[in-house]
Amino acid sequence: METNPRLDVAQNRKAVKYSRSEMAYRVMWGAGKLFFRFSPRICFGWRRLWLRLFGASVGKEVHVYNTALIYMPWNLEIGDWSSIGEQVYVYNLGKITIGARVTISHRAHLCAGTHDYSLPDLPLQKPFIHIDDQAWICADAFVGPGVEVGEGAIVGARGVAVTNVLPWMIVAGNPAKPIKKRVMSEKSGIGVNQ
């Protein structure tokens, strides 16, 4: 019977996971995010400014709610007219890029950090996440490390996207599977020319 080596937790804890500058930024953001968190709900401009001060690339008319938890603002890029809803967890050890007119609904989790489980010391990995224009990450959905969500795609409520999502595809479930193509009607006019 084959035995596996034991996990080397001590080696994992000794590993240097962040540069000195990243550690300094993390300390500053630890204090700075209080001004973000306790800003009034409607103060979207203030939070855009605050994220930019900490290195985020934030487009015009972006709405980030005060209860969103953004781990490392300097690893965040978000396009015009997009939003990050209430209690969204943006765990961006790696770069997270969010396109224009994207909605990240409440309690969604964008997870750009993981560990290499095949090695005993579980080294930290910081893969990217890319969410293209006009996509929607629904309530309580999870987007995993290294995932690209295509233009106009939807990850349904509580869906778990651990592989790429094709453009204009609606996926749901755990793991998320294609449900159908997203077709948008011009009939209502909602959102046109915003």
Side-chain angles (χ1 to χ4, degrees):
M1 186 174 201
E2 188 175 319
T3 61
N4 288 320
R6 295 180 71 171
L7 292 178
D8 192 346
V9 177
Q11 186 62 34
N12 176 277
R13 290 181 181 171
K14 281 188 220 172
V16 176
K17 297 175 178 80
Y18 305 99
S19 69
R20 287 182 191 260
S21 63
E22 282 179 313
M23 291 301 291
Y25 281 130
R26 289 180 70 191
V27 169
M28 289 186 290
W29 178 240
K33 71 182 173 188
L34 295 174
F35 293 98
F36 178 96
R37 177 76 167 188
F38 293 108
S39 61
R41 187 175 191 271
I42 62 169
C43 292
F44 298 111
W46 168 257
R47 287 188 291 278
R48 284 191 299 268
L49 173 66
W50 207 243
L51 288 171
R52 288 175 185 136
L53 287 173
F54 281 91
S57 174
V58 181
K60 67 179 181 183
E61 297 303 325
V62 167
H63 283 192
V64 179
Y65 284 82
N66 59 337
T67 57
L69 179 58
I70 298 171
Y71 203 74
M72 295 180 167
W74 51 94
N75 282 341
L76 178 63
E77 182 178 320
I78 183 166
D80 298 344
W81 294 95
S82 289
S83 65
I84 296 177
E86 296 190 47
Q87 299 178 349
V88 169
Y89 189 18
V90 180
Y91 188 60
N92 54 341
L93 300 184
K95 179 97 173 176
I96 292 182
T97 305
I98 298 169
R101 299 178 189 268
V102 171
T103 298
I104 312 294
S105 291
H106 63 281
R107 294 187 181 161
H109 184 165
L110 309 180
C111 183
T114 188
H115 295 270
D116 184 345
Y117 63 84
S118 68
L119 297 173
D121 62 341
L122 298 171
L124 182 65
Q125 296 178 330
K126 303 173 187 179
F128 69 92
I129 289 175
H130 177 76
I131 300 170
D132 210 343
D133 298 348
Q134 302 188 81
W136 178 15
I137 310 303
C138 296
D140 287 314
F142 177 88
V143 177
V147 170
E148 294 186 50
V149 177
E151 180 181 11
I154 296 175
V155 178
R158 295 207 169 170
V160 178
V162 292
T163 59
N164 293 345
V165 180
L166 295 175
W168 301 100
M169 183 59 66
I170 300 171
V171 300
N174 181 4
K177 302 280 187 214
I179 302 298
K180 63 181 179 179
K181 289 290 265 184
R182 179 184 184 187
V183 179
M184 289 186 21
S185 170
E186 303 249 353
K187 186 176 180 182
S188 72
I190 294 172
V192 175
N193 297 324
Q194 286 186 336

